[in-house]
Amino acid sequence: MEFSELLKIRQSVRQYQQRPVARELLDKLIEAVRLAPSASNAQPWKLIVVDDAELCHQVAQATFSKTVAFNRFAPEAPVIVVFVMESAGFVTQVGAMLKKRPFSLIDIGIAAAHFCLQAAELGLGTCILGWFDEKRVKRLLRIPGKRRIGLLVTLGYAAEGYPLREKARKSPGLMSRYNSY
Ligand SMILES: Cc1cc2nc3c(=O)[nH]c(=O)nc-3n(C[C@H](O)[C@H](O)[C@H](O)COP(=O)(O)O)c2cc1C
């Protein structure tokens, strides 16, 4: 598949089949993240791939509540991947502080993009989740207290007939300029 085509078919999937995802495919997704670039090549991430049905369900429950219900679809996903932020090296951390630029968070975002694009190429759907109960997810997965979670990503085969949506995006003229702001 052309990369430009992959960019078009990758979309947030919010309805899944119950069909499990083979470990062989999960390994390919881990590899896609492993190859992602990061500030000073710090690779400040650890992926927790939750494919145990009961545990996955419990993690999914931590992504919505009665008041914030937009992730109510998450329990349908057979896999949830948790992007834990690992500490970057000292120099990168100091650089990030001095420049007031959260490199690790930027790195996690790039890693998640690698993950989602690779998944799309493999015929799998994903949805990045930025809204979740961090404490609860950490408890469920025994993530050490000091660690922060960057993002969660739901993963699975999209429901039968799940439509490919038009991309709702700003026009190139609104979101880009040549040579000055
Ligand atoms: C950092 C980040 C956090 C997001 N959090 C959520 C979320 O909590 N729930 C959700 O349904 N979608 C979430 N999304 C998905 C966006 O809503 C989605 O990417 C955007 O609307 C564009 O649609 P598309 O992914 O289908 O192209 C998140 C995306 C990003 C990059």
Side-chain angles (χ1 to χ4, degrees):
M1 191 187 307
E2 295 263 338
F3 186 66
S4 53
E5 184 58 23
L6 186 57
L7 294 176
K8 283 184 195 144
I9 65 152
R10 200 276 332 140
Q11 64 175 353
S12 294
V13 169
R14 297 186 178 91
Q15 277 181 298
Y16 294 94
Q17 301 173 29
Q18 282 312 294
R19 185 177 160 195
V21 181
R23 281 271 167 103
E24 190 192 7
L25 298 183
L26 295 175
D27 287 342
K28 285 189 179 169
L29 295 168
I30 292 170
E31 181 64 5
V33 170
R34 200 177 71 84
L35 297 180
S38 56
S40 308
N41 201 20
Q43 305 163 62
W45 46 63
K46 181 163 278 178
L47 264 60
I48 315 282
V49 181
V50 185
D51 67 347
D52 174 88
E54 176 53 31
L55 193 56
C56 189
H57 188 76
Q58 288 179 34
V59 172
Q61 295 295 325
T63 66
F64 63 92
S65 62
K66 271 192 189 137
T67 37
V68 183
F70 48 77
N71 288 336
R72 203 167 269 284
F73 69 91
E76 280 187 30
V79 182
I80 294 182
V81 179
V82 177
F83 284 68
V84 180
M85 295 169 70
E86 295 292 301
S87 61
F90 180 70
V91 174
T92 316
Q93 280 185 51
V94 171
M97 214 172 64
L98 289 176
K99 288 289 174 195
K100 296 196 174 86
R101 214 167 283 283
F103 291 133
S104 291
L105 209 49
I106 294 170
D107 295 339
I108 291 275
I110 295 171
H114 270 220
F115 184 96
C116 294
L117 287 165
Q118 177 64 85
E121 197 213 327
L122 295 171
L124 288 159
T126 54
C127 186
I128 297 173
L129 306 184
W131 184 277
F132 51 88
D133 181 336
E134 186 174 8
K135 271 194 190 156
R136 201 163 144 195
V137 177
K138 281 172 70 173
R139 234 186 353 258
L140 284 166
L141 304 178
R142 300 176 191 188
I143 296 169
K146 275 197 223 154
R147 292 278 176 267
R148 296 291 316 270
I149 298 175
L151 291 167
L152 266 53
V153 180
T154 56
L155 174 75
Y157 292 94
E160 293 286 346
Y162 194 80
L164 180 61
R165 299 182 299 272
E166 273 294 311
K167 297 258 183 271
R169 298 293 192 266
K170 293 176 183 172
S171 67
L174 264 180
M175 52 67 77
S176 65
R177 290 284 185 277
Y178 284 103
N179 300 318
S180 86
Y181 187 88

